[in-house]
Amino acid sequence: MSHRNARLTVHGRRILVERVQSGRPVAHVAAEMGISRPTAHKWVRRWRAEGEAGLHDRPSRPHTTPHRTPAVIEARACRLRTDRKLGPARIGPILGLPASTVHRILTRHGINRLAWLDRPTGRVIRRYERTRPGELVHVDIKKLGNIPDGGGWRTVGRTAGDRNRQATTSERRSSKPVIGYSYIHSAVDDHSRLAYSEVLADERKDTAIAFWQRANAFFAAHGVRVERVLTDNGACYKARLFTQTLAAAGIAHKKIRPYRPQTNGKVERFNRTLLDEWAYLRPYTSNHERTTALADFLHTYNHHRCHTALGGQPPISRVNNAPGQYT
């Protein structure tokens, strides 16, 4: 890229060459364009040797770097980073290098941020994104503790929270007690991040199948035809009936490799957003109150909440503007 005070851009260099081609002396053309004769000769020489490509800027990186850290030392720094998760300030004294040099080495190899590494294996996480809505939908379940009537311990403290829990359980002993867990079933489109969630009582296969049928109807209502579904290896998703239900709708069922939750990362990240912006956003006085608030969160998430992976736009924008979208 040319600097802001450059006399010649690529367009100006073409004009220079055209004037020289017309038979005018290089010195006269250089004076007219406010550049030196050596500069004018340089661009004419490059054009004669390389053609149009010679008029473009070249990288300023030197051909050789004699003082660059040896490859063996760089490999050791990378191993310390991936195996022991050490930072530049700790790797530097081990290798006898300044921390700034270690940081440049890690940046050069793309491992300067621990968030880019798989913590157990130290491998660089490869990010991916499908090219159109519906090509892949991530499905997962988040287990969440129920809230007793009157509020749990996070809201009213341990003593009052335990009292509310015991009172709620005794009052509803004849029916289904609310103390226990809720299961948040979620489906997130890989391309657009359009999300659908429900709070359900369990994670059995029949519950998961019924949830997916409603989720599929939700995506269809937004003009998204689902082609593949990606899940983990939970018991409800390993059930043959779940796969058969997807196949009957023309949907392929894919499962992640065991102990590789980052493969299903779109919905895993959505689960974190659920906790931060819905489940733990404010104190709730009952499980029903928290469940009711989920619908407002989903509307905000899909239609108003900006998403960094979408250029600051909400998920619905990618569904509406997707090229070649199904109807």
Side-chain angles (χ1 to χ4, degrees):
M1 178 183 294
S2 301
H3 59 83
R4 62 182 180 180
N5 295 323
R7 294 297 182 93
L8 292 181
T9 61
V10 175
H11 177 67
R13 295 161 197 166
R14 291 195 190 100
I15 296 176
L16 168 68
V17 172
E18 290 172 358
R19 292 180 180 179
V20 173
Q21 275 188 301
S22 66
R24 302 187 59 196
V26 175
H28 293 184
V29 176
E32 291 174 355
M33 305 190 72
I35 60 176
S36 64
R37 283 182 295 174
T39 298
H41 279 289
K42 177 186 70 173
W43 290 115
V44 172
R45 184 172 59 252
R46 286 190 183 182
W47 176 80
R48 288 171 178 168
E50 305 175 22
E52 176 68 20
L55 300 180
H56 292 268
D57 292 314
R58 295 175 177 176
S60 58
R61 179 179 178 180
H63 295 291
T64 60
T65 310
H67 299 292
R68 178 173 172 172
T69 306
V72 176
I73 303 299
E74 288 196 6
R76 288 186 60 192
C78 293
R79 284 198 300 271
L80 289 171
R81 180 63 163 177
T82 57
D83 295 346
R84 299 175 56 184
K85 312 301 185 297
L86 301 181
R90 295 189 60 190
I91 295 176
I94 296 176
L95 301 180
L97 297 174
S100 58
T101 300
V102 176
H103 182 269
R104 285 196 296 270
I105 293 173
L106 300 182
T107 302
R108 186 155 52 239
H109 291 272
I111 55 177
N112 54 305
R113 291 185 178 272
L114 285 177
W116 297 344
L117 300 178
D118 179 30
R119 288 300 185 95
T121 64
R123 296 177 181 175
V124 178
I125 298 174
R126 183 172 61 89
R127 305 291 181 184
Y128 69 91
E129 182 179 277
R130 297 294 176 169
T131 57
R132 61 181 182 274
E135 189 176 357
L136 180 67
V137 172
H138 300 243
V139 176
D140 194 30
I141 301 173
K142 180 65 178 178
K143 186 178 178 181
L144 200 61
N146 286 329
I147 302 174
D149 293 339
W153 65 269
R154 290 179 181 273
T155 304
V156 298
R158 288 287 183 181
T159 303
D162 289 343
R163 186 165 56 250
N164 291 340
R165 177 175 58 83
Q166 294 170 3
T168 303
T169 303
S170 60
E171 289 173 2
R172 303 198 180 184
R173 194 176 301 278
S174 58
S175 60
K176 185 177 180 180
V178 299
I179 302 304
Y181 294 94
S182 294
Y183 298 84
I184 296 86
H185 295 242
S186 299
V188 179
D189 178 55
D190 186 277
H191 176 77
S192 66
R193 308 310 200 277
L194 189 69
Y196 178 79
S197 293
E198 289 183 3
V199 180
L200 301 175
D202 57 59
E203 52 183 344
R204 299 178 183 275
K205 64 179 181 181
D206 295 333
T207 304
I209 291 171
F211 162 77
W212 169 250
Q213 291 172 336
R214 293 188 293 270
N216 194 25
F218 167 81
F219 288 116
H222 287 81
V224 177
R225 179 165 65 86
V226 180
E227 301 175 26
R228 298 178 184 85
V229 167
L230 181 66
T231 68
D232 58 21
N233 293 277
C236 61
Y237 301 132
K238 292 172 68 175
R240 185 176 303 175
L241 185 59
F242 185 86
T243 303
Q244 291 174 347
T245 302
L246 296 179
I251 302 172
H253 183 202
K254 304 294 184 181
K255 292 190 284 289
I256 67 174
R257 291 173 56 195
Y259 308 108
R260 292 294 185 274
Q262 60 269 27
T263 309
N264 211 17
K266 304 295 190 306
V267 71
E268 295 287 355
R269 183 60 183 87
F270 177 73
N271 285 339
R272 282 182 52 192
T273 304
L274 275 176
L275 297 182
D276 294 339
E277 301 183 18
W278 166 65
Y280 300 141
L281 175 65
R282 60 182 177 85
Y284 297 101
T285 58
S286 68
N287 205 59
H288 175 73
E289 181 185 0
R290 183 179 65 185
T291 302
T292 304
L294 178 61
D296 292 336
F297 162 77
L298 288 175
H299 177 79
T300 301
Y301 182 89
N302 287 325
H303 294 268
H304 304 289
R305 182 185 183 275
C306 60
H307 202 299
T308 55
L310 307 180
Q313 298 299 315
I316 197 67
S317 64
R318 272 206 174 180
V319 175
N320 295 336
N321 301 327
Q325 183 55 40
Y326 300 108
T327 58

PDB file of all heavy atoms in Angstrom, residues 143-163:
ATOM      1  N   LYS A 143     -28.025 -28.363  31.114  1.00  0.00           N
ATOM      2  CA  LYS A 143     -28.699 -28.710  32.368  1.00  0.00           C
ATOM      3  C   LYS A 143     -28.611 -27.535  33.333  1.00  0.00           C
ATOM      4  O   LYS A 143     -27.538 -26.975  33.548  1.00  0.00           O
ATOM      5  CB  LYS A 143     -28.042 -29.957  32.963  1.00  0.00           C
ATOM      6  CG  LYS A 143     -28.709 -30.521  34.196  1.00  0.00           C
ATOM      7  CD  LYS A 143     -27.970 -31.783  34.617  1.00  0.00           C
ATOM      8  CE  LYS A 143     -28.548 -32.380  35.883  1.00  0.00           C
ATOM      9  NZ  LYS A 143     -27.804 -33.602  36.304  1.00  0.00           N
ATOM     10  N   LEU A 144     -29.766 -27.166  33.928  1.00  0.00           N
ATOM     11  CA  LEU A 144     -29.823 -25.983  34.777  1.00  0.00           C
ATOM     12  C   LEU A 144     -30.685 -26.273  36.001  1.00  0.00           C
ATOM     13  O   LEU A 144     -31.779 -26.831  35.877  1.00  0.00           O
ATOM     14  CB  LEU A 144     -30.400 -24.809  33.988  1.00  0.00           C
ATOM     15  CG  LEU A 144     -30.137 -23.396  34.504  1.00  0.00           C
ATOM     16  CD1 LEU A 144     -28.650 -23.102  34.526  1.00  0.00           C
ATOM     17  CD2 LEU A 144     -30.841 -22.389  33.606  1.00  0.00           C
ATOM     18  N   GLY A 145     -30.193 -25.917  37.168  1.00  0.00           N
ATOM     19  CA  GLY A 145     -30.936 -26.148  38.397  1.00  0.00           C
ATOM     20  C   GLY A 145     -32.209 -25.324  38.472  1.00  0.00           C
ATOM     21  O   GLY A 145     -32.238 -24.153  38.075  1.00  0.00           O
ATOM     22  N   ASN A 146     -33.287 -25.924  39.010  1.00  0.00           N
ATOM     23  CA  ASN A 146     -34.555 -25.216  39.150  1.00  0.00           C
ATOM     24  C   ASN A 146     -34.508 -24.216  40.304  1.00  0.00           C
ATOM     25  O   ASN A 146     -33.687 -24.345  41.228  1.00  0.00           O
ATOM     26  CB  ASN A 146     -35.694 -26.204  39.380  1.00  0.00           C
ATOM     27  CG  ASN A 146     -36.058 -26.950  38.113  1.00  0.00           C
ATOM     28  OD1 ASN A 146     -35.922 -26.423  37.008  1.00  0.00           O
ATOM     29  ND2 ASN A 146     -36.517 -28.186  38.261  1.00  0.00           N
ATOM     30  N   ILE A 147     -35.391 -23.232  40.259  1.00  0.00           N
ATOM     31  CA  ILE A 147     -35.475 -22.193  41.285  1.00  0.00           C
ATOM     32  C   ILE A 147     -36.736 -22.423  42.111  1.00  0.00           C
ATOM     33  O   ILE A 147     -37.836 -22.499  41.553  1.00  0.00           O
ATOM     34  CB  ILE A 147     -35.525 -20.797  40.640  1.00  0.00           C
ATOM     35  CG1 ILE A 147     -34.284 -20.568  39.770  1.00  0.00           C
ATOM     36  CG2 ILE A 147     -35.633 -19.718  41.705  1.00  0.00           C
ATOM     37  CD1 ILE A 147     -34.333 -19.271  38.992  1.00  0.00           C
ATOM     38  N   PRO A 148     -36.638 -22.533  43.424  1.00  0.00           N
ATOM     39  CA  PRO A 148     -37.849 -22.703  44.249  1.00  0.00           C
ATOM     40  C   PRO A 148     -38.657 -21.420  44.310  1.00  0.00           C
ATOM     41  O   PRO A 148     -38.130 -20.315  44.097  1.00  0.00           O
ATOM     42  CB  PRO A 148     -37.288 -23.069  45.627  1.00  0.00           C
ATOM     43  CG  PRO A 148     -35.923 -22.465  45.643  1.00  0.00           C
ATOM     44  CD  PRO A 148     -35.402 -22.542  44.236  1.00  0.00           C
ATOM     45  N   ASP A 149     -39.940 -21.542  44.585  1.00  0.00           N
ATOM     46  CA  ASP A 149     -40.793 -20.364  44.729  1.00  0.00           C
ATOM     47  C   ASP A 149     -40.279 -19.490  45.868  1.00  0.00           C
ATOM     48  O   ASP A 149     -40.017 -19.969  46.977  1.00  0.00           O
ATOM     49  CB  ASP A 149     -42.236 -20.787  45.009  1.00  0.00           C
ATOM     50  CG  ASP A 149     -42.856 -21.496  43.816  1.00  0.00           C
ATOM     51  OD1 ASP A 149     -42.339 -21.304  42.700  1.00  0.00           O
ATOM     52  OD2 ASP A 149     -43.825 -22.250  44.012  1.00  0.00           O
ATOM     53  N   GLY A 150     -40.151 -18.208  45.615  1.00  0.00           N
ATOM     54  CA  GLY A 150     -39.600 -17.286  46.597  1.00  0.00           C
ATOM     55  C   GLY A 150     -38.146 -16.950  46.340  1.00  0.00           C
ATOM     56  O   GLY A 150     -37.629 -15.987  46.888  1.00  0.00           O
ATOM     57  N   GLY A 151     -37.477 -17.739  45.498  1.00  0.00           N
ATOM     58  CA  GLY A 151     -36.079 -17.463  45.163  1.00  0.00           C
ATOM     59  C   GLY A 151     -35.128 -18.480  45.741  1.00  0.00           C
ATOM     60  O   GLY A 151     -35.365 -19.038  46.815  1.00  0.00           O
ATOM     61  N   GLY A 152     -34.056 -18.743  45.041  1.00  0.00           N
ATOM     62  CA  GLY A 152     -33.026 -19.665  45.499  1.00  0.00           C
ATOM     63  C   GLY A 152     -31.955 -18.956  46.294  1.00  0.00           C
ATOM     64  O   GLY A 152     -32.039 -17.755  46.583  1.00  0.00           O
ATOM     65  N   TRP A 153     -30.917 -19.719  46.637  1.00  0.00           N
ATOM     66  CA  TRP A 153     -29.878 -19.159  47.516  1.00  0.00           C
ATOM     67  C   TRP A 153     -29.097 -18.040  46.854  1.00  0.00           C
ATOM     68  O   TRP A 153     -28.566 -17.156  47.537  1.00  0.00           O
ATOM     69  CB  TRP A 153     -28.938 -20.260  47.986  1.00  0.00           C
ATOM     70  CG  TRP A 153     -28.124 -20.892  46.879  1.00  0.00           C
ATOM     71  CD1 TRP A 153     -28.443 -21.975  46.131  1.00  0.00           C
ATOM     72  CD2 TRP A 153     -26.844 -20.452  46.418  1.00  0.00           C
ATOM     73  NE1 TRP A 153     -27.462 -22.247  45.216  1.00  0.00           N
ATOM     74  CE2 TRP A 153     -26.456 -21.327  45.382  1.00  0.00           C
ATOM     75  CE3 TRP A 153     -25.989 -19.416  46.763  1.00  0.00           C
ATOM     76  CZ2 TRP A 153     -25.254 -21.191  44.690  1.00  0.00           C
ATOM     77  CZ3 TRP A 153     -24.781 -19.280  46.082  1.00  0.00           C
ATOM     78  CH2 TRP A 153     -24.425 -20.169  45.057  1.00  0.00           C
ATOM     79  N   ARG A 154     -29.012 -18.022  45.532  1.00  0.00           N
ATOM     80  CA  ARG A 154     -28.309 -16.926  44.869  1.00  0.00           C
ATOM     81  C   ARG A 154     -29.022 -15.590  45.065  1.00  0.00           C
ATOM     82  O   ARG A 154     -28.406 -14.528  45.031  1.00  0.00           O
ATOM     83  CB  ARG A 154     -28.181 -17.212  43.364  1.00  0.00           C
ATOM     84  CG  ARG A 154     -27.233 -18.345  43.013  1.00  0.00           C
ATOM     85  CD  ARG A 154     -27.203 -18.559  41.504  1.00  0.00           C
ATOM     86  NE  ARG A 154     -26.329 -19.649  41.128  1.00  0.00           N
ATOM     87  CZ  ARG A 154     -25.022 -19.529  40.897  1.00  0.00           C
ATOM     88  NH1 ARG A 154     -24.450 -18.348  41.003  1.00  0.00           N
ATOM     89  NH2 ARG A 154     -24.292 -20.579  40.556  1.00  0.00           N
ATOM     90  N   THR A 155     -30.334 -15.660  45.252  1.00  0.00           N
ATOM     91  CA  THR A 155     -31.131 -14.441  45.383  1.00  0.00           C
ATOM     92  C   THR A 155     -31.311 -14.009  46.829  1.00  0.00           C
ATOM     93  O   THR A 155     -31.131 -12.827  47.169  1.00  0.00           O
ATOM     94  CB  THR A 155     -32.512 -14.652  44.741  1.00  0.00           C
ATOM     95  OG1 THR A 155     -32.330 -15.057  43.379  1.00  0.00           O
ATOM     96  CG2 THR A 155     -33.338 -13.379  44.786  1.00  0.00           C
ATOM     97  N   VAL A 156     -31.668 -14.946  47.706  1.00  0.00           N
ATOM     98  CA  VAL A 156     -32.030 -14.589  49.079  1.00  0.00           C
ATOM     99  C   VAL A 156     -31.058 -15.122  50.126  1.00  0.00           C
ATOM    100  O   VAL A 156     -31.280 -14.946  51.320  1.00  0.00           O
ATOM    101  CB  VAL A 156     -33.455 -15.105  49.397  1.00  0.00           C
ATOM    102  CG1 VAL A 156     -34.466 -14.434  48.479  1.00  0.00           C
ATOM    103  CG2 VAL A 156     -33.538 -16.623  49.248  1.00  0.00           C
ATOM    104  N   GLY A 157     -29.984 -15.776  49.688  1.00  0.00           N
ATOM    105  CA  GLY A 157     -29.027 -16.303  50.649  1.00  0.00           C
ATOM    106  C   GLY A 157     -29.265 -17.780  50.939  1.00  0.00           C
ATOM    107  O   GLY A 157     -30.312 -18.343  50.610  1.00  0.00           O
ATOM    108  N   ARG A 158     -28.294 -18.391  51.606  1.00  0.00           N
ATOM    109  CA  ARG A 158     -28.353 -19.827  51.854  1.00  0.00           C
ATOM    110  C   ARG A 158     -29.516 -20.221  52.757  1.00  0.00           C
ATOM    111  O   ARG A 158     -30.264 -21.154  52.465  1.00  0.00           O
ATOM    112  CB  ARG A 158     -27.034 -20.285  52.493  1.00  0.00           C
ATOM    113  CG  ARG A 158     -25.840 -20.297  51.549  1.00  0.00           C
ATOM    114  CD  ARG A 158     -25.937 -21.439  50.578  1.00  0.00           C
ATOM    115  NE  ARG A 158     -24.754 -21.511  49.710  1.00  0.00           N
ATOM    116  CZ  ARG A 158     -24.592 -22.402  48.750  1.00  0.00           C
ATOM    117  NH1 ARG A 158     -25.558 -23.291  48.521  1.00  0.00           N
ATOM    118  NH2 ARG A 158     -23.507 -22.397  48.011  1.00  0.00           N
ATOM    119  N   THR A 159     -29.679 -19.502  53.855  1.00  0.00           N
ATOM    120  CA  THR A 159     -30.706 -19.895  54.826  1.00  0.00           C
ATOM    121  C   THR A 159     -32.105 -19.788  54.238  1.00  0.00           C
ATOM    122  O   THR A 159     -32.898 -20.740  54.260  1.00  0.00           O
ATOM    123  CB  THR A 159     -30.608 -19.018  56.082  1.00  0.00           C
ATOM    124  OG1 THR A 159     -29.295 -19.126  56.634  1.00  0.00           O
ATOM    125  CG2 THR A 159     -31.632 -19.449  57.119  1.00  0.00           C
ATOM    126  N   ALA A 160     -32.444 -18.627  53.686  1.00  0.00           N
ATOM    127  CA  ALA A 160     -33.768 -18.443  53.103  1.00  0.00           C
ATOM    128  C   ALA A 160     -33.956 -19.313  51.867  1.00  0.00           C
ATOM    129  O   ALA A 160     -35.050 -19.823  51.612  1.00  0.00           O
ATOM    130  CB  ALA A 160     -33.985 -16.971  52.747  1.00  0.00           C
ATOM    131  N   GLY A 161     -32.890 -19.513  51.091  1.00  0.00           N
ATOM    132  CA  GLY A 161     -32.992 -20.344  49.908  1.00  0.00           C
ATOM    133  C   GLY A 161     -33.309 -21.783  50.245  1.00  0.00           C
ATOM    134  O   GLY A 161     -34.141 -22.423  49.599  1.00  0.00           O
ATOM    135  N   ASP A 162     -32.647 -22.320  51.282  1.00  0.00           N
ATOM    136  CA  ASP A 162     -32.946 -23.690  51.710  1.00  0.00           C
ATOM    137  C   ASP A 162     -34.381 -23.793  52.226  1.00  0.00           C
ATOM    138  O   ASP A 162     -35.073 -24.799  51.985  1.00  0.00           O
ATOM    139  CB  ASP A 162     -31.961 -24.119  52.796  1.00  0.00           C
ATOM    140  CG  ASP A 162     -30.558 -24.337  52.243  1.00  0.00           C
ATOM    141  OD1 ASP A 162     -30.444 -24.478  51.007  1.00  0.00           O
ATOM    142  OD2 ASP A 162     -29.601 -24.355  53.030  1.00  0.00           O
ATOM    143  N   ARG A 163     -34.849 -22.753  52.938  1.00  0.00           N
ATOM    144  CA  ARG A 163     -36.218 -22.768  53.448  1.00  0.00           C
ATOM    145  C   ARG A 163     -37.233 -22.756  52.304  1.00  0.00           C
ATOM    146  O   ARG A 163     -38.231 -23.491  52.324  1.00  0.00           O
ATOM    147  CB  ARG A 163     -36.428 -21.577  54.375  1.00  0.00           C
ATOM    148  CG  ARG A 163     -37.792 -21.575  55.076  1.00  0.00           C
ATOM    149  CD  ARG A 163     -37.815 -20.603  56.236  1.00  0.00           C
ATOM    150  NE  ARG A 163     -37.451 -19.247  55.837  1.00  0.00           N
ATOM    151  CZ  ARG A 163     -36.313 -18.637  56.186  1.00  0.00           C
ATOM    152  NH1 ARG A 163     -35.428 -19.272  56.946  1.00  0.00           N
ATOM    153  NH2 ARG A 163     -36.061 -17.413  55.786  1.00  0.00           N
TER     154      ARG A 163
END
